[in-house]
mmCIF file of all heavy atoms in Angstrom:
data_model
loop_
_atom_site.group_PDB
_atom_site.id
_atom_site.type_symbol
_atom_site.label_atom_id
_atom_site.label_comp_id
_atom_site.label_asym_id
_atom_site.label_seq_id
_atom_site.Cartn_x
_atom_site.Cartn_y
_atom_site.Cartn_z
ATOM 1 N N PRO A 1 -5.923 72.752 61.377
ATOM 2 C CA PRO A 1 -5.546 72.775 59.946
ATOM 3 C C PRO A 1 -6.669 72.223 59.065
ATOM 4 O O PRO A 1 -6.530 71.163 58.438
ATOM 5 C CB PRO A 1 -4.301 71.889 59.921
ATOM 6 C CG PRO A 1 -4.525 70.903 61.019
ATOM 7 C CD PRO A 1 -5.249 71.660 62.109
ATOM 8 N N VAL A 2 -7.760 72.951 59.000
ATOM 9 C CA VAL A 2 -8.950 72.452 58.303
ATOM 10 C C VAL A 2 -8.664 72.211 56.824
ATOM 11 O O VAL A 2 -9.089 71.201 56.250
ATOM 12 C CB VAL A 2 -10.122 73.439 58.480
ATOM 13 C CG1 VAL A 2 -11.340 72.982 57.669
ATOM 14 C CG2 VAL A 2 -10.489 73.561 59.957
ATOM 15 N N LEU A 3 -7.942 73.126 56.180
ATOM 16 C CA LEU A 3 -7.680 72.964 54.753
ATOM 17 C C LEU A 3 -6.763 71.767 54.500
ATOM 18 O O LEU A 3 -6.963 71.007 53.544
ATOM 19 C CB LEU A 3 -7.065 74.234 54.174
ATOM 20 C CG LEU A 3 -6.804 74.184 52.662
ATOM 21 C CD1 LEU A 3 -8.078 73.857 51.891
ATOM 22 C CD2 LEU A 3 -6.206 75.485 52.164
ATOM 23 N N THR A 4 -5.761 71.586 55.349
ATOM 24 C CA THR A 4 -4.888 70.413 55.195
ATOM 25 C C THR A 4 -5.701 69.130 55.280
ATOM 26 O O THR A 4 -5.537 68.214 54.460
ATOM 27 C CB THR A 4 -3.786 70.422 56.267
ATOM 28 O OG1 THR A 4 -2.985 71.596 56.120
ATOM 29 C CG2 THR A 4 -2.900 69.195 56.138
ATOM 30 N N TRP A 5 -6.579 69.047 56.277
ATOM 31 C CA TRP A 5 -7.425 67.861 56.414
ATOM 32 C C TRP A 5 -8.330 67.697 55.193
ATOM 33 O O TRP A 5 -8.565 66.583 54.733
ATOM 34 C CB TRP A 5 -8.258 67.955 57.673
ATOM 35 C CG TRP A 5 -7.459 67.908 58.932
ATOM 36 C CD1 TRP A 5 -6.173 67.467 59.090
ATOM 37 C CD2 TRP A 5 -7.879 68.339 60.228
ATOM 38 N NE1 TRP A 5 -5.762 67.585 60.390
ATOM 39 C CE2 TRP A 5 -6.788 68.115 61.119
ATOM 40 C CE3 TRP A 5 -9.053 68.889 60.733
ATOM 41 C CZ2 TRP A 5 -6.869 68.424 62.478
ATOM 42 C CZ3 TRP A 5 -9.135 69.185 62.089
ATOM 43 C CH2 TRP A 5 -8.060 68.958 62.949
ATOM 44 N N THR A 6 -8.834 68.821 54.681
ATOM 45 C CA THR A 6 -9.711 68.755 53.509
ATOM 46 C C THR A 6 -8.955 68.220 52.294
ATOM 47 O O THR A 6 -9.470 67.378 51.543
ATOM 48 C CB THR A 6 -10.298 70.137 53.204
ATOM 49 O OG1 THR A 6 -11.035 70.607 54.345
ATOM 50 C CG2 THR A 6 -11.226 70.087 52.005
ATOM 51 N N LEU A 7 -7.741 68.715 52.067
ATOM 52 C CA LEU A 7 -6.928 68.229 50.951
ATOM 53 C C LEU A 7 -6.659 66.728 51.083
ATOM 54 O O LEU A 7 -6.737 65.980 50.096
ATOM 55 C CB LEU A 7 -5.611 68.994 50.890
ATOM 56 C CG LEU A 7 -5.698 70.475 50.490
ATOM 57 C CD1 LEU A 7 -4.339 71.152 50.671
ATOM 58 C CD2 LEU A 7 -6.178 70.618 49.050
ATOM 59 N N MET A 8 -6.368 66.300 52.291
ATOM 60 C CA MET A 8 -6.111 64.875 52.514
ATOM 61 C C MET A 8 -7.366 64.054 52.226
ATOM 62 O O MET A 8 -7.291 62.973 51.613
ATOM 63 C CB MET A 8 -5.637 64.655 53.951
ATOM 64 C CG MET A 8 -4.281 65.284 54.253
ATOM 65 S SD MET A 8 -3.842 65.251 56.009
ATOM 66 C CE MET A 8 -3.630 63.494 56.263
ATOM 67 N N ALA A 9 -8.525 64.556 52.639
ATOM 68 C CA ALA A 9 -9.775 63.838 52.393
ATOM 69 C C ALA A 9 -10.092 63.768 50.904
ATOM 70 O O ALA A 9 -10.555 62.730 50.399
ATOM 71 C CB ALA A 9 -10.917 64.509 53.156
ATOM 72 N N VAL A 10 -9.840 64.869 50.189
ATOM 73 C CA VAL A 10 -10.100 64.879 48.742
ATOM 74 C C VAL A 10 -9.202 63.859 48.047
ATOM 75 O O VAL A 10 -9.646 63.101 47.170
ATOM 76 C CB VAL A 10 -9.872 66.291 48.171
ATOM 77 C CG1 VAL A 10 -9.896 66.259 46.642
ATOM 78 C CG2 VAL A 10 -10.945 67.243 48.693
ATOM 79 N N MET A 11 -7.926 63.821 48.423
ATOM 80 C CA MET A 11 -7.012 62.850 47.811
ATOM 81 C C MET A 11 -7.471 61.426 48.074
ATOM 82 O O MET A 11 -7.445 60.578 47.162
ATOM 83 C CB MET A 11 -5.595 63.059 48.352
ATOM 84 C CG MET A 11 -4.942 64.348 47.935
ATOM 85 S SD MET A 11 -3.316 64.494 48.715
ATOM 86 C CE MET A 11 -3.038 66.260 48.527
ATOM 87 N N ALA A 12 -7.855 61.159 49.315
ATOM 88 C CA ALA A 12 -8.325 59.808 49.640
ATOM 89 C C ALA A 12 -9.594 59.476 48.864
ATOM 90 O O ALA A 12 -9.761 58.351 48.367
ATOM 91 C CB ALA A 12 -8.563 59.693 51.148
ATOM 92 N N GLY A 13 -10.501 60.438 48.735
ATOM 93 C CA GLY A 13 -11.738 60.205 48.000
ATOM 94 C C GLY A 13 -11.488 59.951 46.523
ATOM 95 O O GLY A 13 -12.094 59.050 45.913
ATOM 96 N N VAL A 14 -10.591 60.749 45.929
ATOM 97 C CA VAL A 14 -10.273 60.564 44.506
ATOM 98 C C VAL A 14 -9.614 59.205 44.289
ATOM 99 O O VAL A 14 -9.900 58.497 43.308
ATOM 100 C CB VAL A 14 -9.365 61.705 44.014
ATOM 101 C CG1 VAL A 14 -8.845 61.406 42.612
ATOM 102 C CG2 VAL A 14 -10.129 63.027 44.023
ATOM 103 N N PHE A 15 -8.743 58.798 45.208
ATOM 104 C CA PHE A 15 -8.091 57.501 45.076
ATOM 105 C C PHE A 15 -9.122 56.369 45.154
ATOM 106 O O PHE A 15 -9.047 55.396 44.381
ATOM 107 C CB PHE A 15 -7.042 57.320 46.165
ATOM 108 C CG PHE A 15 -6.388 55.972 46.156
ATOM 109 C CD1 PHE A 15 -5.461 55.653 45.181
ATOM 110 C CD2 PHE A 15 -6.715 55.013 47.107
ATOM 111 C CE1 PHE A 15 -4.852 54.399 45.157
ATOM 112 C CE2 PHE A 15 -6.123 53.768 47.084
ATOM 113 C CZ PHE A 15 -5.183 53.454 46.113
ATOM 114 N N ALA A 16 -10.071 56.480 46.092
ATOM 115 C CA ALA A 16 -11.111 55.454 46.195
ATOM 116 C C ALA A 16 -11.931 55.389 44.915
ATOM 117 O O ALA A 16 -12.295 54.294 44.443
ATOM 118 C CB ALA A 16 -12.008 55.753 47.397
ATOM 119 N N TRP A 17 -12.203 56.553 44.336
ATOM 120 C CA TRP A 17 -12.955 56.588 43.071
ATOM 121 C C TRP A 17 -12.169 55.882 41.959
ATOM 122 O O TRP A 17 -12.702 55.033 41.235
ATOM 123 C CB TRP A 17 -13.236 58.044 42.706
ATOM 124 C CG TRP A 17 -13.849 58.242 41.347
ATOM 125 C CD1 TRP A 17 -14.829 57.491 40.762
ATOM 126 C CD2 TRP A 17 -13.499 59.261 40.407
ATOM 127 N NE1 TRP A 17 -15.132 57.976 39.510
ATOM 128 C CE2 TRP A 17 -14.331 59.063 39.261
ATOM 129 C CE3 TRP A 17 -12.608 60.314 40.409
ATOM 130 C CZ2 TRP A 17 -14.268 59.895 38.153
ATOM 131 C CZ3 TRP A 17 -12.544 61.146 39.317
ATOM 132 C CH2 TRP A 17 -13.359 60.938 38.195
ATOM 133 N N MET A 18 -10.884 56.227 41.841
ATOM 134 C CA MET A 18 -10.071 55.617 40.793
ATOM 135 C C MET A 18 -9.922 54.109 40.996
ATOM 136 O O MET A 18 -10.000 53.328 40.041
ATOM 137 C CB MET A 18 -8.669 56.246 40.781
ATOM 138 C CG MET A 18 -8.596 57.672 40.319
ATOM 139 S SD MET A 18 -6.875 58.241 40.320
ATOM 140 C CE MET A 18 -6.147 57.128 39.122
ATOM 141 N N ARG A 19 -9.714 53.715 42.248
ATOM 142 C CA ARG A 19 -9.359 52.324 42.524
ATOM 143 C C ARG A 19 -10.579 51.397 42.564
ATOM 144 O O ARG A 19 -10.516 50.261 42.084
ATOM 145 C CB ARG A 19 -8.613 52.274 43.867
ATOM 146 C CG ARG A 19 -8.049 50.918 44.235
ATOM 147 C CD ARG A 19 -6.878 50.552 43.334
ATOM 148 N NE ARG A 19 -6.259 49.301 43.731
ATOM 149 C CZ ARG A 19 -5.192 49.213 44.516
ATOM 150 N NH1 ARG A 19 -4.637 50.319 44.991
ATOM 151 N NH2 ARG A 19 -4.676 48.052 44.820
ATOM 152 N N TYR A 20 -11.665 51.877 43.155
ATOM 153 C CA TYR A 20 -12.776 50.975 43.427
ATOM 154 C C TYR A 20 -14.064 51.304 42.668
ATOM 155 O O TYR A 20 -14.917 50.442 42.505
ATOM 156 C CB TYR A 20 -13.066 50.967 44.935
ATOM 157 C CG TYR A 20 -11.872 50.545 45.751
ATOM 158 C CD1 TYR A 20 -11.176 51.464 46.532
ATOM 159 C CD2 TYR A 20 -11.431 49.229 45.727
ATOM 160 C CE1 TYR A 20 -10.077 51.087 47.281
ATOM 161 C CE2 TYR A 20 -10.328 48.837 46.471
ATOM 162 C CZ TYR A 20 -9.657 49.765 47.249
ATOM 163 O OH TYR A 20 -8.558 49.378 47.971
ATOM 164 N N PHE A 21 -14.221 52.555 42.247
ATOM 165 C CA PHE A 21 -15.467 52.933 41.563
ATOM 166 C C PHE A 21 -15.192 53.713 40.280
ATOM 167 O O PHE A 21 -15.753 54.784 40.056
ATOM 168 C CB PHE A 21 -16.349 53.791 42.490
ATOM 169 C CG PHE A 21 -16.519 53.211 43.866
ATOM 170 C CD1 PHE A 21 -15.804 53.723 44.942
ATOM 171 C CD2 PHE A 21 -17.379 52.154 44.083
ATOM 172 C CE1 PHE A 21 -15.953 53.192 46.212
ATOM 173 C CE2 PHE A 21 -17.541 51.614 45.351
ATOM 174 C CZ PHE A 21 -16.821 52.137 46.420
ATOM 175 N N PRO A 22 -14.327 53.222 39.412
ATOM 176 C CA PRO A 22 -13.978 53.995 38.210
ATOM 177 C C PRO A 22 -15.150 54.197 37.265
ATOM 178 O O PRO A 22 -15.127 55.130 36.450
ATOM 179 C CB PRO A 22 -12.878 53.143 37.559
ATOM 180 C CG PRO A 22 -13.136 51.762 38.053
ATOM 181 C CD PRO A 22 -13.640 51.925 39.453
ATOM 182 N N ASP A 23 -16.164 53.329 37.351
ATOM 183 C CA ASP A 23 -17.311 53.442 36.450
ATOM 184 C C ASP A 23 -18.487 54.169 37.094
ATOM 185 O O ASP A 23 -19.570 54.227 36.508
ATOM 186 C CB ASP A 23 -17.766 52.040 36.006
ATOM 187 C CG ASP A 23 -16.653 51.298 35.291
ATOM 188 O OD1 ASP A 23 -15.891 51.954 34.564
ATOM 189 O OD2 ASP A 23 -16.549 50.064 35.472
ATOM 190 N N ALA A 24 -18.262 54.717 38.310
ATOM 191 C CA ALA A 24 -19.383 55.348 39.026
ATOM 192 C C ALA A 24 -19.793 56.666 38.390
ATOM 193 O O ALA A 24 -20.945 57.088 38.514
ATOM 194 C CB ALA A 24 -19.010 55.575 40.487
ATOM 195 N N GLY A 25 -18.909 57.333 37.714
ATOM 196 C CA GLY A 25 -19.234 58.614 37.100
ATOM 197 C C GLY A 25 -19.278 58.513 35.590
ATOM 198 O O GLY A 25 -18.993 57.474 34.989
ATOM 199 N N ALA A 26 -19.621 59.643 34.995
ATOM 200 C CA ALA A 26 -19.719 59.673 33.532
ATOM 201 C C ALA A 26 -18.365 59.875 32.876
ATOM 202 O O ALA A 26 -18.243 59.776 31.653
ATOM 203 C CB ALA A 26 -20.674 60.782 33.103
ATOM 204 N N VAL A 27 -17.319 60.173 33.680
ATOM 205 C CA VAL A 27 -15.997 60.476 33.146
ATOM 206 C C VAL A 27 -14.999 59.448 33.662
ATOM 207 O O VAL A 27 -15.027 59.069 34.838
ATOM 208 C CB VAL A 27 -15.555 61.899 33.559
ATOM 209 C CG1 VAL A 27 -14.184 62.226 32.972
ATOM 210 C CG2 VAL A 27 -16.585 62.934 33.123
ATOM 211 N N ASP A 28 -14.140 58.989 32.799
ATOM 212 C CA ASP A 28 -13.075 58.075 33.190
ATOM 213 C C ASP A 28 -12.064 58.846 34.048
ATOM 214 O O ASP A 28 -11.510 59.869 33.613
ATOM 215 C CB ASP A 28 -12.380 57.536 31.936
ATOM 216 C CG ASP A 28 -11.279 56.543 32.270
ATOM 217 O OD1 ASP A 28 -11.027 56.310 33.471
ATOM 218 O OD2 ASP A 28 -10.668 56.011 31.329
ATOM 219 N N PRO A 29 -11.790 58.396 35.290
ATOM 220 C CA PRO A 29 -10.870 59.157 36.162
ATOM 221 C C PRO A 29 -9.481 59.310 35.573
ATOM 222 O O PRO A 29 -8.776 60.276 35.880
ATOM 223 C CB PRO A 29 -10.851 58.327 37.450
ATOM 224 C CG PRO A 29 -11.349 56.977 37.068
ATOM 225 C CD PRO A 29 -12.314 57.196 35.953
ATOM 226 N N TRP A 30 -9.059 58.396 34.696
ATOM 227 C CA TRP A 30 -7.719 58.497 34.135
ATOM 228 C C TRP A 30 -7.588 59.665 33.162
ATOM 229 O O TRP A 30 -6.467 60.017 32.775
ATOM 230 C CB TRP A 30 -7.351 57.185 33.453
ATOM 231 C CG TRP A 30 -7.089 56.106 34.467
ATOM 232 C CD1 TRP A 30 -7.996 55.215 34.949
ATOM 233 C CD2 TRP A 30 -5.862 55.858 35.146
ATOM 234 N NE1 TRP A 30 -7.416 54.400 35.894
ATOM 235 C CE2 TRP A 30 -6.088 54.779 36.042
ATOM 236 C CE3 TRP A 30 -4.593 56.420 35.096
ATOM 237 C CZ2 TRP A 30 -5.098 54.272 36.862
ATOM 238 C CZ3 TRP A 30 -3.597 55.911 35.921
ATOM 239 C CH2 TRP A 30 -3.853 54.845 36.790
ATOM 240 N N ARG A 31 -8.693 60.264 32.803
ATOM 241 C CA ARG A 31 -8.622 61.468 31.957
ATOM 242 C C ARG A 31 -8.040 62.660 32.712
ATOM 243 O O ARG A 31 -7.671 63.657 32.095
ATOM 244 C CB ARG A 31 -10.013 61.832 31.442
ATOM 245 C CG ARG A 31 -10.572 60.897 30.383
ATOM 246 C CD ARG A 31 -11.842 61.471 29.802
ATOM 247 N NE ARG A 31 -11.625 62.803 29.235
ATOM 248 C CZ ARG A 31 -12.598 63.603 28.829
ATOM 249 N NH1 ARG A 31 -13.864 63.211 28.940
ATOM 250 N NH2 ARG A 31 -12.334 64.789 28.321
ATOM 251 N N PHE A 32 -7.977 62.563 34.040
ATOM 252 C CA PHE A 32 -7.487 63.677 34.854
ATOM 253 C C PHE A 32 -5.988 63.576 35.127
ATOM 254 O O PHE A 32 -5.424 64.418 35.811
ATOM 255 C CB PHE A 32 -8.262 63.737 36.168
ATOM 256 C CG PHE A 32 -9.715 64.043 35.988
ATOM 257 C CD1 PHE A 32 -10.650 63.017 35.913
ATOM 258 C CD2 PHE A 32 -10.160 65.346 35.871
ATOM 259 C CE1 PHE A 32 -11.995 63.295 35.739
ATOM 260 C CE2 PHE A 32 -11.504 65.639 35.700
ATOM 261 C CZ PHE A 32 -12.420 64.608 35.624
ATOM 262 N N VAL A 33 -5.335 62.521 34.649
ATOM 263 C CA VAL A 33 -3.882 62.396 34.772
ATOM 264 C C VAL A 33 -3.218 63.356 33.790
ATOM 265 O O VAL A 33 -3.719 63.582 32.681
ATOM 266 C CB VAL A 33 -3.447 60.942 34.497
ATOM 267 C CG1 VAL A 33 -1.925 60.827 34.539
ATOM 268 C CG2 VAL A 33 -4.091 60.002 35.509
ATOM 269 N N PHE A 34 -2.085 63.925 34.177
ATOM 270 C CA PHE A 34 -1.370 64.875 33.317
ATOM 271 C C PHE A 34 -0.387 64.128 32.420
ATOM 272 O O PHE A 34 0.579 63.515 32.893
ATOM 273 C CB PHE A 34 -0.616 65.897 34.167
ATOM 274 C CG PHE A 34 0.211 66.869 33.366
ATOM 275 C CD1 PHE A 34 -0.371 67.664 32.391
ATOM 276 C CD2 PHE A 34 1.578 66.978 33.589
ATOM 277 C CE1 PHE A 34 0.393 68.555 31.647
ATOM 278 C CE2 PHE A 34 2.347 67.875 32.856
ATOM 279 C CZ PHE A 34 1.748 68.658 31.878
ATOM 280 N N TYR A 35 -0.649 64.170 31.104
ATOM 281 C CA TYR A 35 0.262 63.619 30.102
ATOM 282 C C TYR A 35 0.853 64.796 29.329
ATOM 283 O O TYR A 35 0.132 65.470 28.592
ATOM 284 C CB TYR A 35 -0.479 62.681 29.151
ATOM 285 C CG TYR A 35 -0.992 61.432 29.815
ATOM 286 C CD1 TYR A 35 -2.319 61.350 30.258
ATOM 287 C CD2 TYR A 35 -0.159 60.338 30.012
ATOM 288 C CE1 TYR A 35 -2.786 60.202 30.876
ATOM 289 C CE2 TYR A 35 -0.624 59.188 30.628
ATOM 290 C CZ TYR A 35 -1.941 59.122 31.066
ATOM 291 O OH TYR A 35 -2.404 57.990 31.686
ATOM 292 N N PRO A 36 2.108 65.080 29.504
ATOM 293 C CA PRO A 36 2.714 66.250 28.858
ATOM 294 C C PRO A 36 2.511 66.237 27.344
ATOM 295 O O PRO A 36 2.808 65.253 26.666
ATOM 296 C CB PRO A 36 4.200 66.107 29.213
ATOM 297 C CG PRO A 36 4.214 65.274 30.452
ATOM 298 C CD PRO A 36 3.075 64.331 30.326
ATOM 299 N N GLY A 37 1.948 67.313 26.831
ATOM 300 C CA GLY A 37 1.734 67.460 25.398
ATOM 301 C C GLY A 37 0.548 66.699 24.868
ATOM 302 O O GLY A 37 0.298 66.703 23.654
ATOM 303 N N ASP A 38 -0.209 66.056 25.752
ATOM 304 C CA ASP A 38 -1.354 65.262 25.295
ATOM 305 C C ASP A 38 -2.445 65.355 26.346
ATOM 306 O O ASP A 38 -2.283 64.910 27.475
ATOM 307 C CB ASP A 38 -0.940 63.808 25.078
ATOM 308 C CG ASP A 38 -2.095 62.974 24.521
ATOM 309 O OD1 ASP A 38 -3.069 63.577 24.032
ATOM 310 O OD2 ASP A 38 -2.009 61.742 24.589
#
């Protein structure tokens, strides 16, 4: 299940970015959260 493993790895990577390295990129990771109507 290569794609399943890939999805799991992406989720873990995104979580590590949000939790431990939020300033590592040029974009605030919280901008990717879905806020209905906003």
Side-chain angles (χ1 to χ4, degrees):
V2 176
L3 182 56
T4 299
W5 294 342
T6 301
L7 291 172
M8 294 171 67
V10 170
M11 292 177 198
V14 171
F15 176 74
W17 173 41
M18 291 182 62
R19 186 70 176 264
Y20 302 109
F21 311 103
D23 301 324
V27 181
D28 182 358
W30 288 92
R31 288 189 57 190
F32 295 95
V33 176
F34 177 57
Y35 294 97
D38 183 16

